[in-house]
Amino acid sequence: MEGGVCNRDNDLSGCNTNNDPSICTGDKDYNIYFCGSIRGGRQDAPLYNRIVCELQKIGNVLTYHVGLLEVFASEKHMTHAEIYQRDKDWMDNSQVVIAECSQASHGVGFEIAYCMNLGLPILCLFKEDCRASAMVAGCPDVQCLFYSSEDEAIEKAIEFAKNHH
């Protein structure tokens, strides 16, 4: 699966024909890597979807699939090695990283560390009442912001993406 193409049957209610997570209406040469928990828990998938839909208006969210309800369906025929290589290639070709980190996830932590080593600007969003990882929140190379509402999280993601474009 390539960034920018998805099965609309997997879309969440937060996106409609004007706000589809698979459609980039922004700068197609500005690659955004969005991180959110997949195997660590999917309770925040509707928020991921909303964030991705808004970021697609700014640039090309390579990892739009993170916001799909059926994210596992998109990867069911892929090996762990294939998923790793695909995601690594996407990270290598991104200009900015935005991660929703409220749900603990080994994968998101790995992605943040990998992108940090690439020197990419990284924003980590946490719910206000979340116990953030000290390794992430204490890292001087990562900008961490806490939010009290989903709308605030989306605003912060949009602002960060625009400021690093």
Side-chain angles (χ1 to χ4, degrees):
M1 176 170 77
E2 295 182 23
V5 180
C6 83
N7 176 352
R8 289 197 43 100
D9 294 337
N10 288 331
D11 291 349
L12 299 177
S13 60
C15 287
N16 54 43
T17 56
N18 296 323
N19 201 14
D20 183 323
S22 71
I23 298 172
C24 172
T25 58
D27 181 350
K28 291 175 179 34
D29 293 324
Y30 180 49
N31 291 330
I32 300 169
Y33 193 91
F34 177 76
C35 308
S37 177
I38 294 179
R39 295 181 184 187
R42 296 295 294 157
Q43 48 273 57
D44 291 325
L47 173 59
Y48 303 162
N49 178 263
R50 291 185 63 205
I51 293 170
V52 168
C53 287
E54 292 302 318
L55 292 175
Q56 285 283 45
K57 296 174 185 175
I58 299 165
N60 182 25
V61 181
L62 300 173
T63 53
Y64 72 85
H65 67 285
V66 174
L68 299 175
L69 278 179
E70 297 299 325
V71 67
F72 297 110
S74 70
E75 297 180 341
K76 70 180 177 183
H77 298 295
M78 297 177 74
T79 66
H80 290 135
E82 290 169 333
I83 293 169
Y84 168 81
Q85 190 60 54
R86 177 202 62 193
D87 290 2
K88 182 180 158 306
D89 290 345
W90 282 342
M91 288 182 277
D92 289 339
N93 289 290
S94 292
Q95 285 82 42
V96 67
V97 178
I98 298 173
E100 205 301 324
C101 300
S102 300
Q103 177 65 45
S105 167
H106 296 295
V108 171
F110 180 91
E111 291 166 324
I112 291 167
Y114 186 90
C115 291
M116 214 175 71
N117 285 328
L118 293 175
L120 295 175
I122 302 168
L123 171 65
C124 293
L125 297 167
F126 295 93
K127 292 177 184 172
E128 201 169 61
D129 60 351
C130 178
R131 292 181 57 204
S133 164
M135 290 301 293
V136 174
C139 179
D141 298 321
V142 175
Q143 183 175 348
C144 294
L145 298 174
F146 291 81
Y147 63 89
S148 58
S149 70
E150 289 189 1
D151 288 341
E152 183 183 4
I154 293 164
E155 288 171 19
K156 289 179 179 196
I158 291 168
E159 181 181 354
F160 189 82
K162 286 181 176 179
N163 287 343
H164 289 88
H165 184 237

